[in-house]
Amino acid sequence: MDKNLSSAGERKVNCAEQQKCFQLLESILDGENIPESDKILKEKLEKCDPCYRYFHLEMAIKELLKTKCCQQITPQDLFENIRKKVQEVK
Amino acid sequence: MSEVQRKKYSDKEKNHIFDQEFMPHIDSMYNFAYRLTFDEDDAKDLVQDTYLKAYRFINSFEQGTNAKAWLFRILKNSFINDYRKKSKQPAKVDYQEVETYYNSDDVDYSGTTDLRVDAVKDMLGDEISNALNSLAVDFRTVIILCDLEGFTYEEMAKILDIPIGTVRSRLHRARNLLKEKLRSYAQNMGYNTDEEE
Ligand SMILES: [Zn+2]
């Protein structure tokens, strides 16, 4: 492997296969079953700056959506109303 | 429902499935409905209709399969068929956005947004909610399904009746649009988005 790049901690400024890489990173973030995803991820993030940035930005946005997006409170009567209606059609 | 009827459940089985597999998803269902309609009453009606349909067509639900995805699909279809037209707040569709994106097969993977991770981390709940709500309904939907509800691409394809490839590209487009919104919030917050660290 290219020892210069990883040992120096420097990442490529340009990604040779940006579209393919970004699609892959997005799938990994979304929890899709990607074979050897840990290995791929480690390699991309260590060696490629656009991939590194893309991944961390997407992860931050996903986290933001998951943790801060305002949840609506389910109206209390909804549950009972549904039960009642279902009893009627039974 | 177009599914083949697999078997007939007894009344007891029906009630069991309804209570144990359908009802626990009521909060997610209401949230989804609210984010589609932006109206409390419409959201309630939509969820209620969905559950009634689910009960009526319960024989086409295969026990042990993903009830949440099955329910979301019914809700999405009910929304398209019954609510989209009469919605009080006709989803703030940005037609320019929709046209630009739907009329091209190319998905933009250039990805050189200057939005910064720090800025994203400082966003408030209102800001991310507003950004999400401002997206056209089809884009909003894929983000809700994937990022808020955690459905897989395959489940999303079934819920939305579109191929997995379309799920991916729609999701990617939706995220690009969301990033643009967040970028303008970041600018208002005083983050200098143009400068490199
Ligand atoms: Zn790369």
Side-chain angles (χ1 to χ4, degrees):
Chain A
M1 286 278 134
D2 195 340
K3 276 179 193 150
N4 284 330
L5 280 174
S6 47
S7 61
E10 275 174 25
R11 300 187 193 100
K12 288 180 292 172
V13 179
N14 291 308
C15 181
E17 295 180 292
Q18 191 151 291
Q19 171 157 349
K20 217 178 124 201
C21 286
F22 285 8
Q23 271 178 346
L24 199 60
L25 292 173
E26 216 170 332
S27 298
I28 291 173
L29 261 180
D30 289 335
E32 293 294 298
N33 246 329
I34 308 291
E36 305 202 291
S37 60
D38 289 351
K39 200 177 134 208
I40 295 170
L41 197 58
K42 189 164 180 280
E43 177 152 337
K44 298 242 181 269
L45 299 192
E46 269 175 11
K47 294 189 177 167
C48 178
D49 197 53
C51 279
Y52 177 87
R53 284 163 176 267
Y54 184 79
F55 184 81
H56 285 283
L57 182 60
E58 293 298 324
M59 189 163 68
I61 295 173
K62 205 174 163 79
E63 197 56 28
L64 178 71
L65 281 161
K66 233 192 291 182
T67 57
K68 289 199 193 158
C69 223
C70 310
Q71 291 284 306
Q72 297 298 321
I73 308 293
T74 310
Q76 290 210 316
D77 56 348
L78 185 59
F79 191 89
E80 279 314 308
N81 287 346
I82 290 171
R83 299 219 62 112
K84 237 182 277 169
K85 293 260 180 196
V86 168
Q87 291 300 329
E88 285 166 19
V89 300
K90 267 180 193 173
Chain B
M1 299 301 106
S2 55
E3 281 100 321
V4 188
Q5 296 223 339
R6 291 178 178 89
K7 65 174 266 193
K8 292 249 188 283
Y9 295 116
S10 68
D11 280 354
K12 202 180 155 209
E13 286 171 324
K14 280 185 191 176
N15 292 336
H16 183 80
I17 293 171
F18 195 83
D19 290 344
Q20 302 300 315
E21 299 199 41
F22 293 176
M23 284 310 248
H25 300 296
I26 193 166
D27 291 336
S28 296
M29 298 279 278
Y30 181 75
N31 255 292
F32 184 36
Y34 187 86
R35 288 197 182 280
L36 292 176
T37 60
F38 297 120
D39 181 274
E40 199 175 300
D41 290 329
D42 282 347
K44 279 162 79 172
D45 287 350
L46 187 50
V47 172
Q48 193 166 298
D49 287 356
T50 303
Y51 273 102
L52 286 176
K53 280 181 193 159
Y55 191 80
R56 216 177 327 144
F57 296 104
I58 202 162
N59 283 324
S60 61
F61 171 72
E62 194 181 347
Q63 227 180 334
T65 61
N66 190 333
K68 187 177 170 186
W70 192 75
L71 292 168
F72 266 65
R73 179 165 180 265
I74 300 177
L75 194 148
K76 185 267 317 181
N77 286 337
S78 297
F79 172 70
I80 290 173
N81 297 330
D82 308 336
Y83 288 85
R84 210 164 181 171
K85 297 157 216 155
K86 66 164 197 186
S87 181
K88 283 172 196 161
Q89 186 185 3
K92 296 174 228 156
V93 177
D94 184 334
Y95 288 101
Q96 187 60 46
E97 259 176 25
V98 177
E99 260 173 42
T100 312
Y101 281 100
Y102 276 150
N103 290 343
S104 75
D105 271 345
D106 298 325
V107 184
D108 181 12
Y109 276 97
S110 59
T112 48
T113 175
D114 45 14
L115 178 60
R116 287 169 50 179
V117 172
D118 320 359
V120 171
K121 287 186 172 160
D122 284 349
M123 296 266 167
L124 303 172
D126 278 352
E127 288 168 329
I128 182 64
S129 277
N130 290 341
L132 176 61
N133 292 349
S134 71
L135 299 183
V137 68
D138 286 341
F139 294 128
R140 198 187 328 139
T141 299
V142 285
I143 290 193
I144 295 169
L145 296 179
C146 184
D147 294 329
L148 298 186
E149 299 298 339
F151 285 113
T152 64
Y153 294 170
E154 198 183 338
E155 287 164 344
M156 290 166 71
K158 283 184 188 150
I159 293 169
L160 301 172
D161 297 299
I162 54 177
I164 287 191
T166 310
V167 169
R168 283 172 189 280
S169 56
R170 196 177 291 178
L171 192 56
H172 186 77
R173 285 164 182 162
R175 285 173 170 158
N176 280 351
L177 291 167
L178 191 70
K179 263 181 271 185
E180 276 311 302
K181 308 274 179 195
L182 294 180
R183 193 171 157 271
S184 63
Y185 288 133
Q187 271 168 341
N188 290 340
M189 276 162 30
Y191 276 95
N192 189 347
T193 50
D194 290 318
E195 220 150 88
E196 300 285 319
E197 315 65 326

